[in-house]
Amino acid sequence: LVGVILSTTMAPEMLDSYGWRVAFLIGAVCLPFGLWMRRTLPETIPHADAGVAAKERTGHLSQARRHLGIIALALMILASGTISTYVTQYMTTYAQNTLHVPSTLAFAVSLVSNGIQFVGALVGGWLADRLG
């Protein structure tokens, strides 16, 4: 969204020389809020009781072996999200430099694809809640 706004309001030369730094400044302004939010969130993992005997504890590998299917599914989901993010983010540069598409259109396409990914993540989370 920031890319669409900047490419609409700035000349291409201005965007290339210093306009891209505006997005980093916006991220820097958001950083303290993110740190504050992370610090004030409650911990979701309950702490183990100190009285649990050592013989009752199981190792990480033995626990992982019992959940190989879920671990493989999680890795596939993580890989697909990472790959699609890299592809859609590079498409803006590819569209501008190779296809000579105006930067406003390239950023708008990236915005739409990221919006679709966001909706897909929400739907996936909703389905996981309902099924699991």
Side-chain angles (χ1 to χ4, degrees):
L1 183 60
V2 172
V4 171
I5 293 170
L6 289 176
S7 64
T8 304
T9 58
M10 295 181 140
E13 299 80 26
M14 293 169 51
L15 190 61
D16 287 341
S17 65
Y18 69 89
W20 58 271
R21 293 182 178 132
V22 174
F24 287 106
L25 290 174
I26 291 171
V29 169
C30 293
L31 180 67
F33 174 73
L35 291 174
W36 168 80
M37 188 170 62
R38 174 62 186 105
R39 194 169 7 123
T40 58
L41 286 173
E43 188 62 47
T44 57
I45 301 173
H47 295 291
D49 292 336
V52 175
K55 64 180 179 180
E56 294 177 6
R57 296 181 185 160
T58 57
H60 295 296
L61 289 177
S62 64
Q63 289 180 3
R65 283 187 200 115
R66 286 187 271 157
H67 302 287
L68 282 178
I70 293 173
I71 292 170
L73 178 63
L75 289 174
M76 286 189 285
I77 291 171
L78 180 66
S80 67
T82 302
I83 291 167
S84 65
T85 298
Y86 278 118
V87 167
T88 57
Q89 297 307 314
Y90 176 70
M91 282 303 136
T92 304
T93 303
Y94 179 78
Q96 289 175 358
N97 295 340
T98 305
L99 302 177
H100 307 291
V101 172
S103 57
T104 304
L105 179 61
F107 282 120
V109 169
S110 178
L111 178 66
V112 169
S113 67
N114 287 336
I116 291 170
Q117 286 180 348
F118 182 73
V119 170
L122 289 177
V123 170
W126 180 79
L127 283 174
D129 254 1
R130 297 290 181 244
L131 297 175

